[in-house]
Amino acid sequence: MDGTTPWADLDTAGCSVARTAAIVGDAWTLVLLRDLFNGLRRFDDLAAHLGVARTVLSRRLAALVDAGLVDREPYREPGRRERHEYRLSAAGRDLLPVVLALMAWGDTHLAGDDGPPVVVEHRDCGAPVQVALRCTAGHDVDPHRGTVARPGPGARRRP
């Protein structure tokens, strides 16, 4: 497929954005991922912090496990039945820049007068973390004017 194919002629069924949004594109899933990134792992802790119905949380966690973004690991406290905690898989951890980009947008456009409610810092030096666009050659890319999208090897014409 050449770079002159009009976007309207491309099939969107294989779109990576659509496939990802189908898994993580609702608000409960995104805030659940945020809490998993922040170290909450046990169902009761997640339910209490999110304030979400247990049935909703159970479905979201099951979907993330099925999608390979979260691993379900057993644990047992002395004298108690076996339970499970939820940990991000490697694929789930790869979503950190996505979650941080959403947070940065919210901090810029939705934070109150007091500023952002959370600041993410580099564990080693304490500097604030930011998400940046960079090409594979190492150049910083202007997010407003520095990109062009072209059909990739998986692009297909609409049927």
Side-chain angles (χ1 to χ4, degrees):
M1 186 128 346
D2 64 37
T4 62
T5 303
W7 281 106
D9 290 345
L10 296 178
D11 185 4
T12 60
C15 172
S16 297
V17 172
R19 288 178 178 179
T20 305
I23 298 169
V24 302
D26 67 85
W28 283 121
T29 300
L30 288 169
V31 294
L32 173 55
L33 288 169
R34 175 209 59 201
D35 279 3
L36 291 169
F37 277 116
N38 288 328
L40 293 175
R41 292 187 176 92
R42 295 186 176 179
F43 187 92
D44 290 340
D45 295 337
L46 291 162
H49 190 254
L50 293 168
V52 63
R54 296 174 75 80
T55 55
V56 171
L57 178 58
S58 182
R59 282 194 304 266
R60 294 299 186 273
L61 284 167
L64 291 172
V65 168
D66 289 346
L69 301 180
V70 171
D71 295 322
R72 187 173 177 245
E73 299 179 8
Y75 73 92
R76 182 189 307 264
E77 293 179 353
R80 308 282 304 227
R81 67 179 173 87
E82 181 178 275
R83 303 188 78 177
H84 294 90
E85 61 182 25
Y86 300 87
R87 295 177 180 268
L88 292 163
S89 67
R93 289 188 302 274
D94 284 347
L95 285 169
L96 180 60
V98 175
V99 173
L100 291 178
L102 289 168
M103 187 178 92
W105 186 90
D107 289 349
T108 299
H109 299 285
L110 303 174
D113 293 337
D114 293 336
V118 174
V119 177
V120 177
E121 298 175 343
H122 182 212
R123 185 182 308 270
D124 291 343
C125 75
V129 171
Q130 63 184 26
V131 177
L133 289 180
R134 187 167 295 117
C135 73
T136 59
H139 305 116
D140 288 337
V141 177
D142 177 354
H144 304 289
R145 302 182 55 139
T147 65
V148 60
R150 302 188 197 291
R156 303 287 179 261
R157 290 194 181 274
R158 289 178 67 178

